[in-house]
Amino acid sequence: MGFVVKKAGSKVSEKDICDYLSEFVCTEKQLHGGVQFIDVIPKNVSGKILRKKLRNMFE
């Protein structure tokens, strides 16, 4: 599963992102769980991504 924040006015789709990644990474590292578009990636005060919060958002 990949989490993506779109820029304003961007028209990128889940298929576009998966196709782009397939050019650069092997099959094991591709996004088999799909792509979720979110508004903001949750971070703590020091700037680390809160992965647990991301997992809980989409369970």
Side-chain angles (χ1 to χ4, degrees), residues 4-13 17 37-40:
V4 177
V5 177
K6 287 186 183 182
K7 287 187 177 181
S10 175
K11 296 182 181 178
V12 68
S13 68
I17 293 171
F37 294 104
I38 57 176
D39 297 327
V40 177

Side-chain angles (χ1 to χ4, degrees), residues 1 5 8 10 14-16 24 27 33 40-41 56-58:
M1 169 85 47
V5 177
S10 175
E14 179 179 351
K15 185 176 179 340
D16 295 335
F24 297 101
T27 328
V40 177
I41 294 181
N56 292 337
M57 288 170 60
F58 292 99

Side-chain angles (χ1 to χ4, degrees), residues 17-33:
I17 293 171
C18 290
D19 290 344
Y20 177 77
L21 283 176
S22 67
E23 296 175 16
F24 297 101
V25 296
C26 62
T27 328
E28 294 84 20
K29 294 186 179 187
Q30 290 180 11
L31 298 175
H32 298 290

Side-chain angles (χ1 to χ4, degrees), residues 35-53:
V35 175
Q36 291 289 330
F37 294 104
I38 57 176
D39 297 327
V40 177
I41 294 181
K43 296 182 182 181
N44 67 7
V45 179
S46 63
K48 291 185 179 180
I49 295 173
L50 300 173
R51 292 185 178 105
K52 189 173 185 177
K53 201 169 198 178

